[in-house]
Every structure is written in structure tokens, then in C-alpha cells.
Amino acid sequence: MQKILLQVVHMKNLTAYIAIIVAMIIWSSSVIATGIGLESFRPLTLVTMRFTLAVALMFAVGCATKSLQRLDKHDIKLFLAAGIIQPFCYYMLETYGLKLLASPTISEVILSTGPLFAPLFAFVLLRERVTWNNIVGIIISTIGVLMLITNTGNLAIASPAGLLLLFGAVFAAVLYTVLLRKIPTKYNSLTIVFYVQAFSLLLFYPAFCIIDLPHCATFAFSWKSFAAVVYLAVFASVAAFVLFCYVVRRIGVTRANAFNNIRPAFTALLMLLLFGEQLTWSKWLGIGLVIGGLFICQSSHKLFTFNKLRK
């Protein structure tokens, strides 16, 4: 009986790992779709359109399947806080941080550091257990990320304001995953993502009206860019967010965030497959380190043990 139970638990975790890998592949491909969308739309306009379509789609699916749940009044503040942190704060900080920072390389490095901070947030705020496997795996994986995205010679041109905004985006992403763990388990993933993104629109719309609406006449609309926005809405904002929400609640904040390190590897592979972009040996080594570190982080074998300070 005990063996059967262990097999069931293992299969549930396997489902979670498959779900998180699919989510990371989608988010990796969203980089390409975002670039296409930005050919016609300003950043804030693109994001506002993306989440408007996503919320409308989730509402239609939720009503059709009767899977959209009502919120209890005392939970509204938690959902509102999650919506403010991500999508709104994360995408605003990321977009304008990238605009201010002179070096795309430094931007990518900073945005990939979320898994380094996730164990600290998870331990302090959730008392989630952190092991040396988590820490060592994340460090190795992060070294791989740096090998994938770092170019030399441009560290001196970083904008302090841009750096501050990008680190703010990183903390927003990690804090968002912590809030997901605090949301009561009675809500399904579709309900959680729907209300979080719906509340974020309460902030996106006023920001759009103030910042981008006066420039709408200058947009060079194309169906190619609009199709990219639809892709971002359906897959990156709905499918990937629902999968990620499920995974965080299944395997925890630290392990779920560790998978963010594999996104640059997927992006590099997609660029190779779709555009024929060749990878150097150092890039392939970086991919190997990312995947190897990820396996160490997820391993249940206690290579090193860091006992929780508070039971």
C-alpha cells in the first residue's frame, strides 16, 4: 500500500514537471512574439491588449465549463495584491527598465536572477523548506544562464534607474509566486489567474489612457503583429499562467521558480530551429549547466541537507 501511495505522489509531481516545462517553452517563445507585436504597438498598448484578450478568453471558457468560481469577500484583497504585483508591476517595471538600461545583456542577466531570491522569500514568508540541493542547483543553473546571455565589455554603461526597475521586476515575480501559495486551495487555477489578471486591468487601463492613448494615431497596424498579440494572450497569458499557478501550488515556490532558469536555453534552441541561429560551444555548455543545475535543484536525494531553522 505504501508503494502504491508513493507511486501516486510521484505521478502527480511528474505531471507538475511536464506542466512547468510546457509553460517555460511557451514563455520562451513569447520573446519572439513580443518582438513581432512591438513592430506595430507600443509596449504598454501591447500588454494591455494582451491581458484584455486573455481575461475575455478565460471568462468565456470559465462560463462555458462552469469552472469559474466566485471569490469570498475576505479573499479579494489577496487577489488584488497579486494582480498589482504581476502582471501590472512586473510588466511595467520590466518594460521601462529595459528602455532605460543601455545593455540588453545586463537586462537579461538581472531578469533571470529570480530563482536566486525565491528560496529566501519562500523561507521568510512561507517557512518553506530550503535544502542545499536547491541552493547548489540554482547557482549552477544561473552560471549556465550567464554563459547563454552574457557578452563582454559593456558593464560600465548600465543605468542605475534601469537596474533598479529591473530588480523591482524580479522581486515582483518572486513575490507573485509567494502570493499564489497563500491563496486558498479551494480555488482552481483558472479562477486564480482570471481574477488576478482582471484586477490588473484596473491599473493597466488608466496607465494606457495616460501614456499610450495620445499616440494611437501613430501606430502602424499589421495583422502579423495583431496575431502575435493574440498568441501572447492565449498561450503566454492564459495557458502558461494557469500551468504555472498549478505547479507552484503543487511543488512549491523554490522549485517552480528554478525552472525560470531554463527559459534562455529554450529561447536559444527556438532561435536555432526557427531562424537557424548557430550556437557556440560555450552556449551549448551553458544549456548543459542550466539543465544539470535544474535536476540538482529538483532532486529528492539529499546530497546536502540544510535543516529548516524553524519547525
Side-chain angles (χ1 to χ4, degrees):
M1 183 65 181
Q2 185 178 3
K3 290 183 178 180
I4 295 176
L5 290 174
L6 288 174
Q7 289 177 351
V8 171
V9 172
H10 177 71
M11 289 303 297
K12 287 183 178 180
N13 285 341
L14 178 62
T15 301
Y17 290 137
I18 293 173
I20 193 68
I21 289 173
V22 172
M24 293 303 136
I25 292 174
I26 292 172
W27 277 332
S28 298
S29 67
S30 71
V31 176
I32 301 170
T34 299
I36 296 172
L38 288 173
E39 293 175 3
S40 294
F41 306 110
R42 290 165 63 94
L44 182 56
T45 301
L46 186 151
V47 175
T48 304
M49 291 173 59
R50 168 181 172 176
F51 285 105
T52 299
L53 291 173
V55 169
L57 175 61
M58 285 185 285
F59 181 77
V61 171
C63 291
T65 60
K66 297 182 179 180
S67 58
L68 200 59
Q69 302 166 279
R70 290 181 178 273
L71 296 186
D72 290 340
K73 291 182 179 179
H74 59 272
D75 293 327
I76 292 177
K77 291 182 179 179
L78 188 58
F79 280 86
L80 179 60
I84 292 173
I85 292 170
Q86 188 173 337
F88 182 77
C89 284
Y90 176 83
Y91 282 100
M92 291 292 284
L93 291 166
E94 179 194 47
T95 301
Y96 291 99
L98 290 170
K99 184 177 180 179
L100 289 173
L101 200 61
S103 170
T105 298
I106 300 174
S107 302
E108 293 293 338
V109 171
I110 293 171
L111 290 173
S112 67
T113 58
L116 295 177
F117 299 101
L120 176 62
F121 275 71
F123 177 76
V124 173
L125 299 178
L126 299 175
R127 294 303 177 189
E128 190 173 288
R129 187 174 182 271
V130 178
T131 70
W132 280 113
N133 283 21
N134 297 142
I135 297 172
V136 173
I138 289 169
I139 291 173
I140 292 175
S141 189
T142 300
I143 292 173
V145 170
L146 295 178
M147 294 183 68
L148 280 171
I149 62 180
T150 300
N151 296 317
T152 59
N154 54 6
L155 295 178
I157 58 177
S159 162
L163 288 171
L164 183 63
L165 290 174
L166 287 176
F167 272 116
V170 170
F171 291 137
V174 176
L175 189 56
Y176 170 74
T177 61
V178 172
L179 286 175
L180 285 183
R181 292 281 285 179
K182 287 183 170 292
I183 291 176
T185 57
K186 63 184 176 182
Y187 298 112
N188 60 51
S189 296
L190 178 66
T191 297
I192 293 170
V193 176
F194 169 76
Y195 283 109
V196 166
Q197 294 189 8
F199 282 134
S200 75
L201 290 178
L202 299 177
L203 299 176
F204 273 124
Y205 287 148
F208 166 76
C209 291
I210 295 170
I211 298 172
D212 275 9
L213 186 59
H215 302 280
C216 282
T218 64
F219 292 169
F221 179 85
S222 73
W223 286 109
K224 180 181 178 182
S225 293
F226 182 73
V229 174
V230 173
Y231 173 84
L232 289 169
V234 175
F235 292 98
S237 295
V238 177
F241 267 90
V242 170
L243 290 173
F244 186 73
C245 176
Y246 162 77
V247 173
V248 168
R249 293 156 69 83
R250 172 66 63 185
I251 66 175
V253 172
T254 299
R255 288 187 171 184
N257 270 283
F259 277 87
N260 280 303
N261 268 4
I262 207 170
R263 287 171 58 179
F266 282 136
T267 301
L269 292 173
L270 286 172
M271 292 299 292
L272 174 64
L273 294 173
L274 298 177
F275 300 101
E277 182 177 297
Q278 297 299 314
L279 299 178
T280 64
W281 67 268
S282 63
K283 302 295 185 183
W284 285 113
L285 178 59
I287 292 175
L289 288 174
V290 169
I291 296 173
L294 185 59
F295 274 109
I296 292 174
C297 183
Q298 305 300 316
S299 175
S300 59
H301 179 65
K302 298 178 181 179
L303 300 175
F304 305 95
T305 303
F306 177 70
N307 293 325
K308 193 167 59 174
L309 296 180
R310 175 179 171 181
K311 295 182 178 180

